[in-house]
Amino acid sequence: SLGGGIAMQFAYQFPHMVDRLILVSTGGITKDVHPLLRLAATPILNEALKLLRLPGAVPAMRWVGTMLTRLHGTPLHPGSALHDTPDLVRILTELPDPTAYEAYLRTLRAVVDWHGQTVTMLDRCYLTASLPIQLIWGDRDTVIPVSHAHTAHTSMPGSRLDTFPDAGHFPFRDDPLRFVHTIEKFLSETRPSPFDEARWRQLLNTGTVQPTLTPD
């Protein structure tokens, strides 16, 4: 998610320090993002999220989500529209201290607003042509839709894509054994990418020869 966007930016700024890249349900591709993150990125409305830091608020949120899905006749399972919401609430409310919480919100607001994600990697993805990349996504992701995975896979030549059936935004939780197996297989079947400073400089100077990539 946000960490994947940071990892991609790090790979762009410090390519000599990156041998491989594994992106899990990463942000920074197109605009779509969970409404709760849009809410958290709004300077005024994110104050309401601080109420969820009160003791017992997160369990109550999970209980409400379960009750809502049962009222609609759909049990809370990995494919449910509310499947990822409790984990998002937990992330936003259980940061270790108020300083970390404010730092997270400032970082979030730098790349997300009420319209959605405002930063994309599509204009620089050609730089990953020689970098081994593994994409992992849940096909029921309600935070970053799986369509983003296919856009990223198409835009990064040679990347691998594994989509986990019936998994949400946290595939390592929904199917941990497959997640570990996918990581181990990727590491065993790829070799670290050597950094070529001359080639990197040439790529930055000439840009991409591919047509402009868009979410469509």
Side-chain angles (χ1 to χ4, degrees), residues 135-153:
L135 301 167
I136 300 177
W137 233 277
D139 69 356
R140 301 288 185 175
D141 193 333
T142 64
V143 181
I144 309 289
V146 70
S147 60
H148 292 218
H150 297 291
T151 299
H153 181 48

Side-chain angles (χ1 to χ4, degrees), residues 19-154:
D19 294 332
R20 299 180 179 90
L21 193 58
I22 300 173
L23 300 173
V24 183
S25 309
T26 186
I29 299 173
T30 72
K31 285 185 175 293
D32 301 322
V33 70
H34 196 284
L36 184 58
L37 293 181
R38 300 188 191 199
L39 178 69
T42 305
I44 297 176
L45 296 181
N46 73 55
E47 293 298 318
L49 289 174
K50 293 182 179 179
L51 296 175
L52 296 175
R53 296 170 66 88
L54 297 174
V58 173
M61 174 68 181
R62 292 172 179 164
W63 181 84
V64 170
T66 301
M67 292 300 103
L68 286 174
T69 52
R70 287 178 179 174
L71 286 174
H72 285 83
T74 305
L76 190 61
H77 62 84
S80 169
L82 296 177
H83 175 67
D84 294 315
T85 300
D87 283 306
L88 281 181
V89 173
R90 174 180 54 80
I91 290 170
L92 290 171
T93 60
E94 295 184 1
L95 290 172
D97 56 59
T99 302
Y101 176 79
E102 293 298 330
Y104 178 86
L105 289 182
R106 284 178 177 269
T107 306
L108 181 68
R109 288 197 291 267
V111 293
V112 174
D113 62 20
W114 69 277
H115 292 288
Q117 299 183 85
T118 59
V119 176
T120 179
M121 46 72 76
L122 296 181
D123 59 340
R124 297 174 183 173
C125 58
Y126 70 94
L127 295 170
T128 64
S130 62
L131 182 67
I133 296 177
Q134 174 70 61
L135 301 167
I136 300 177
W137 233 277
D139 69 356
R140 301 288 185 175
D141 193 333
T142 64
V143 181
I144 309 289
V146 70
S147 60
H148 292 218
H150 297 291
T151 299
H153 181 48
T154 301

Side-chain angles (χ1 to χ4, degrees), residues 162-190:
D162 280 82
T163 57
F164 289 21
D166 293 324
H169 189 60
F170 304 88
F172 44 84
R173 186 201 64 182
D174 292 326
D175 196 343
L177 292 180
R178 179 176 177 178
F179 186 86
V180 172
H181 175 73
T182 301
I183 298 297
E184 290 179 339
K185 182 179 180 182
F186 171 67
L187 293 177
S188 65
E189 295 180 353
T190 60

